[in-house]
Amino acid sequence: MSMKKQFDVTGMTCSACQANVTKAVSKLDGVENVDVSLLSNSMRVEYDEAKTSVASICDAVEHAGYVAREKGTKKEDASFQEEWDQKRADAKKEQDASFHRLLVSILLLIPLMLIAMGPMLGLPILAGEENAMISGLSQVLISMLILCIQRHFFIHGFKSLFHKAPNMDSLVAIGSGASFVYGLYALYRMAYGFGHSDMMMVHHSMHALYFESAAMIVTLVSVGKYLESRSKRKTGDALDKLMDLSPKNACVIRNGKEKMILASELMPHDHVVIRPGDRVPADGTILSGNGVLDQSAITGESVPVDKEVGDTVISATLNQNGSFIFEATKVGQDTTLAQIIKLVDEAGNSKAPIARVADKVSGIFVPIVIGIAIVTGIVWILVGQTFEFALSNAVAVLVISCPCALGLATPVAIMVSTGKAAEYGILIKNAAALENMAYMDTIVLDKTGTITSGKPSVQQVVTDLDQRQFLALAASLEVGSGHPLAKAVVDHAQENKVDLLPVDQFESISGKGIKGVVQGKHLLAGNYKFCKEQGVVFTDEIVHAIEEAAGKGWTPLIFVQEQKVIGWINVADTIKETSKAAIQAFKEKGMHVVMLTGDNQKTAQTIAKELLVDEVISDVLPTDKENVIRTLQGQGRKVIMVGDGINDAPALMRADIGIAIGNGTDIAIDSADVVLMKSSLLDVNTAIDLSRKTIRNIHMNLFWAFFYNALGIPLAAGIYYPFFGWLLSPMIGSAAMSLSSVCVCTNALRLRWFKPEIVMEIQETKQQEKKVEEEKMTKTMKIEGMMCQHCVAHVKKALEDVTGVIKADVDLESGSAKIEMEADVKEDILKKAVEDAGYTPVSVE
C-alpha cells in the first residue's frame, strides 16, 4: 500500500545536502517519490509500506549524515498553529545565534586583519622581523577563536565528507582548514628560522601565514548565510499573515449563556456570537442578525459583503458592522482558513519540475569542485609555481563555488509566489502547477457559473395554455431537477405564487432533460434535440420561435405533454461583468480561448460572438467534457480547463492544468490544480501572470547561479593568470560566494511586489472614468453684470438653490462661477437661475 509521509530534516545547509538526502532515500526499495526542501528543512516521501518503513527512511538519512524524524499528525488547527509558531521561534533563535557568532567573529577579525595586513599598509603594528613570532602567535590565537566560534562549518562539513556526501560546508571546511594548517606549518618554519638564525626563512614564512584567510573565509561565508537566512524567513511572510488571521478566542452560547472559550475548543453546531470588529473563528451559517464582512484576506475581494440569515460565513473574515449568531459547521483543521494554510504550506514546499535540473547538478557539484581544487593545486606546482601560490588558488576554487545559489534559485521563488497568490485568493496546490501554467496555450472555459453568473432567470414564457396552469405543470416537473435552469423556472413560479403539483415516475436523463407524470398525464422537458429524440413533432412556427429565442442568447426549455408541445420557457444566464475583459486578456497572452457549453449551437454562438472567443463547442453532455479536453490535447495543445461543477471534475483532472472556481463544489475543487476563492476569470489571468513572472525569476536565478560558478571557478583556479595576470584571493572568493546566495534570495523576494497586470489596467481605467465623471460634475460659468460682493452673493445663492448643485464658488474679479454638482445639471437650468437673479450668463464649460 502506497503511503505519503512528511519528515523534518536537520543538518542540511545547502543544495548539495538536499541532493544527498534525496539520493539516500531514493535508493531504498519501495520508495516511489522523494521531495526534499532545503527552504523548510522538510521531506515528503511516497513509498510502499510493505517494502520499507519510517524507521528505514530515517536510518537512510542518518547514514547520509543528517537527522530525520516523522512529523506528527495534527488533529487540531491550534496544534498546527503551535507547530508553526515553534518553527518560526526556532528559526529566529537560530538566526539570533548566527548573528551573535557573526558579530563576535567580526570583532575578533578586525585586530587579526590589522596584525596580518597592517605592516603591508604602512601601519606599525607588530611590524618587522623582530616581531614576526609575536605577530604569528597572535594571529594563530585569534584565528583559532574565530574558527572555534564558527566550528559548525567543520562539524557539518567533515561529517558530510566522511559520509561520502560532501556539501558546501565541506568546501568551506577544507578551504579554511587547509589555510589554517598551512599557516601552522609556516609558523613552525618561522620558529625554526629563528632557532637557526635563518632570517631568509623567517622573512619568507612571515608572508606565508594564512591565518587571516582561514578566519576571513568562515566569517564572510557566515555573513552570507546570515543574510540568506533573513531572506528565507521573509518567504514565509504570507503564511505568517494567514496564521495571524485566526482569532484566538470565540464567544459561544452554552446553556443559554454567552461564554468566552478558546477558538481551538469550538465544536461543530456551536452557536457563536459575532459583534463589530470580531473575526469569525469558524465556517458556518448565520442563524440570526446580520453583518458586513470583509473577506479580502481569504478571497482577495476588497468590497465588504452583506450577510443575512441563511448566508454562510468563512473563518478569519472580519465583521465590520452589525451583530449576528451563526452555527459552526467546520471547525479546527476543517475550516477554510486551515485548508488555505495547508495548501499554501504544501505548495511552497513542493518541488517544481525545473528544480530537478538544479538538484541533479547540486548532487555532483561539490565532488567536482573538490576535484578541480586538487587538480588546480597540482597543475600550478607542476608548472613551477610555489606551493603557496598553488594552495591559494586551490583554496579560492573551494570557497568561491556556491551550490547554495543553485539550490535556492527555485524554492525561494516558489514559496514567495504561492504565498502571494494566496493574498489574491488564488490557491495553487503544487509547484508543478505554478510552473506549467506559464506554458499553456489553450484555455477551455465552462460557460455556466464560470463565464456566466450561474444564476439564470426566466426571460419569457410562451404557451397557449393559461400561463399559471402552464407554470404549475412546468415548475412541478422541474422541482425534481438540480439543474440551474430548472431552479430558475421553479423560482419564477414561486415569485408568481403558483402552487406546485405532485409528480409521479420522475426520471432525469443527465444533460438532456426530465420526464414525469403530472395529473395523470406524461410530461417531458428539455432542449429541442432531446424532445426530437423522444419522437416529439415540431411545427415550423414553433421551430422558428425557438431559433429566434436562441438567437437572442436565451435557452428555450421545451415542455411536452402527451407528445404535444404545450409551451416553452426562455431562460438566460447573465454574463459576469469581468468575463469579457478576462477573455480579451487571455487572447492578448496568445492563448486560444474555447467556450464549452451544453447549450444549443445558436445560443452558444450568440454568447461567443459577444465575448469574442476563438472557438465554441456546444451541445456537450457532461460526460463528454473530458473527451473534449482529450481531443484538444491530441492536437498538441497544452490545456487549462476552468470549471465549477461536479460534471467538470473529470475534465479538470484530464486538463494539463485544472482551475476550479472557489464557489464551486468540493469535488471540482478536489479535482483541480488551482482553486479560485472568487468567481472571477480575472483571477485566472492573475495566476497565469504570476506563473510567467515566477518562471522568469527562476530562469534569472538559475542563469546567475550557473554563470557565477562558470565564471568564478576558472578565475579562482588561475586560468586567466598566464594571459591577463588575473588572480583571486580566497577571501574575495568567500565574499563572492556569500554574495551569490544573497543575490538569488533577494531577486526571488522581488515577487512579493507582484501586481496583476489585468487588475492594474482595470483599476487605471476606473480611475480615468472617475476622473472624467468628476470633471463632468464640475462646471465653470462666465457671468456678466456683477459689480460688487452683493452681486456675488446673489449669484451664489441663485446657483446653490438649483436642485443638484452642491456648491458654487463665484469670483468677482474673473467674472466666473465654479459649480460643483452631485448630478449632471443641464446648462439651460443653470443659465436661467443666473438670469432670474438679474445677471447675464455668457458660457458654461
Side-chain angles (χ1 to χ4, degrees), residues 4 29 32 38 87 126 159 172 224 228 276 331 337 346 382 384 449 461 478 507 522 542 594 633 675 713 779 791:
K4 287 184 180 179
D29 187 33
E32 297 165 12
L38 172 66
K87 186 177 178 181
L126 297 178
K159 183 180 178 182
V172 174
E228 179 189 309
V331 299
L337 176 65
E346 288 180 354
L382 291 177
V461 178
E478 292 286 10
E507 181 185 356
H522 289 276
I542 291 176
V594 180
Q633 290 172 327
V675 178
I713 292 174
K779 293 182 179 181
C791 301

Side-chain angles (χ1 to χ4, degrees), residues 51-185:
K51 296 180 179 179
T52 192
S53 64
V54 169
S56 58
I57 290 171
C58 292
D59 287 343
V61 174
E62 188 174 342
H63 288 149
Y66 309 91
V67 178
R69 65 176 179 83
E70 184 186 358
K71 283 189 178 180
T73 303
K74 301 297 180 182
K75 295 181 180 179
E76 300 287 343
D77 185 52
S79 63
F80 186 86
Q81 173 85 47
E82 288 167 6
E83 185 183 69
W84 177 259
D85 289 343
Q86 185 61 49
K87 186 177 178 181
R88 301 306 278 178
D90 290 344
K92 188 177 186 308
K93 184 179 178 181
E94 176 55 35
Q95 187 175 306
D96 290 343
S98 174
F99 176 74
H100 291 141
R101 287 196 301 267
L102 175 60
L103 184 62
V104 176
S105 296
I106 291 173
L107 292 175
L108 288 170
L109 188 63
I110 293 170
L112 175 62
M113 294 305 293
L114 287 173
I115 293 170
M117 310 296 289
M120 286 185 279
L121 299 173
L123 298 175
I125 301 174
L126 297 178
E129 292 177 357
E130 65 277 13
N131 293 315
M133 201 65 200
I134 299 174
S135 174
L137 288 171
S138 301
Q139 289 180 52
V140 73
L141 287 172
I142 297 174
S143 62
M144 283 177 67
L145 286 173
I146 293 174
L147 296 182
C148 184
I149 291 167
Q150 301 290 350
R151 61 187 175 276
H152 60 279
F153 284 114
F154 300 92
I155 294 171
H156 295 149
F158 287 123
K159 183 180 178 182
S160 299
L161 195 60
F162 294 148
H163 281 91
K164 298 178 182 178
N167 56 19
M168 187 207 72
D169 286 352
S170 304
L171 297 178
V172 174
I174 294 170
S176 179
S179 298
F180 184 80
V181 169
Y182 187 74
L184 283 177
Y185 166 72

Side-chain angles (χ1 to χ4, degrees), residues 102 105-106 109 113 146 150 153 172 212-227 399 729-739 742:
L102 175 60
S105 296
I106 291 173
L109 188 63
M113 294 305 293
I146 293 174
Q150 301 290 350
F153 284 114
V172 174
E212 81 284 357
S213 292
M216 180 68 87
I217 287 168
V218 294
T219 303
L220 287 176
V221 172
S222 65
V223 170
K225 296 297 284 183
Y226 173 71
L227 294 175
V399 298
S729 161
M731 290 181 282
I732 296 175
S734 60
M737 178 175 76
S738 300
L739 184 63
V742 174

Side-chain angles (χ1 to χ4, degrees), residues 257-278:
K257 295 181 180 179
E258 291 187 13
K259 182 181 179 182
M260 192 65 70
I261 64 170
L262 293 173
S264 58
E265 296 173 358
L266 272 174
M267 302 291 290
H269 309 300
D270 268 343
H271 289 188
V272 186
V273 180
I274 298 294
R275 294 187 173 88
D278 289 349

Side-chain angles (χ1 to χ4, degrees), residues 384-632:
Q385 289 290 348
T386 63
F387 182 79
E388 291 86 350
F389 183 93
L391 177 64
S392 178
N393 286 335
V395 170
V397 168
L398 291 171
V399 298
I400 198 173
S401 309
C402 189
C404 284
L406 288 171
L408 293 171
T410 301
V412 177
I414 294 294
M415 184 165 277
V416 174
S417 297
T418 51
K420 192 66 186 178
E423 289 181 23
Y424 286 102
I426 301 166
L427 305 182
I428 299 172
K429 290 189 176 181
N430 54 67
L434 179 64
E435 177 183 341
N436 292 334
M437 259 191 296
Y439 306 115
M440 299 296 107
D441 54 29
T442 301
I443 184 162
V444 178
L445 306 173
D446 175 56
K447 181 181 77 72
T448 305
T450 302
I451 293 176
T452 63
S453 64
K455 295 179 181 178
S457 57
V458 172
Q459 306 296 313
Q460 186 182 45
V461 178
V462 182
T463 180
D464 290 333
L465 303 177
D466 174 75
Q467 193 163 96
R468 292 184 64 82
Q469 180 190 354
F470 173 68
L471 271 176
L473 292 170
S476 299
L477 187 62
E478 292 286 10
V479 78
S481 172
H483 198 280
L485 298 181
K487 187 176 185 306
V489 173
V490 175
D491 288 346
H492 185 71
Q494 290 175 343
E495 287 169 9
N496 286 275
K497 298 181 180 178
V498 173
D499 295 328
L500 301 184
L501 306 169
V503 180
D504 298 319
Q505 300 176 32
F506 179 83
E507 181 185 356
S508 176
I509 296 91
S510 179
K512 293 185 177 182
I514 51 177
K515 295 179 180 180
V517 176
V518 181
Q519 293 181 332
K521 294 183 179 180
H522 289 276
L523 281 178
L524 65 89
N527 57 29
Y528 176 75
K529 183 179 178 181
F530 170 68
C531 294
K532 288 285 286 183
E533 288 174 359
Q534 298 298 312
V536 177
V537 178
F538 290 86
T539 65
D540 292 341
E541 184 181 355
I542 291 176
V543 171
H544 177 72
I546 290 171
E547 288 178 349
E548 188 177 349
K552 295 178 181 178
W554 296 345
T555 300
L557 292 178
I558 303 164
F559 293 85
V560 178
Q561 188 178 59
E562 300 294 345
Q563 295 300 99
K564 180 184 176 184
V565 177
I566 58 173
W568 59 91
I569 298 176
N570 293 320
V571 182
D573 194 0
T574 56
I575 296 171
K576 295 176 188 173
E577 59 180 23
T578 56
S579 293
K580 192 167 185 177
I583 289 170
Q584 183 59 36
F586 293 141
K587 296 178 75 170
E588 289 172 0
K589 287 179 172 66
M591 302 184 78
H592 182 74
V593 184
V594 180
M595 186 179 82
L596 196 62
T597 177
D599 283 348
N600 63 70
Q601 187 177 4
K602 197 155 189 177
T603 301
Q605 288 288 354
T606 301
I607 296 171
K609 189 176 180 181
E610 182 181 348
L611 294 170
L612 302 175
V613 298
D614 298 309
E615 184 179 351
V616 181
I617 302 176
S618 58
D619 298 300
V620 180
L621 295 175
T623 53
D624 292 336
K625 289 185 176 182
E626 190 262 355
N627 290 331
V628 170
I629 303 298
R630 193 193 298 267
T631 302
L632 289 168

Side-chain angles (χ1 to χ4, degrees), residues 622-623 625-626 629 645-655 667 671:
T623 53
K625 289 185 176 182
E626 190 262 355
I629 303 298
I646 293 175
N647 53 24
D648 295 326
L652 290 170
M653 294 186 73
R654 167 59 58 184
I667 292 176
S671 307

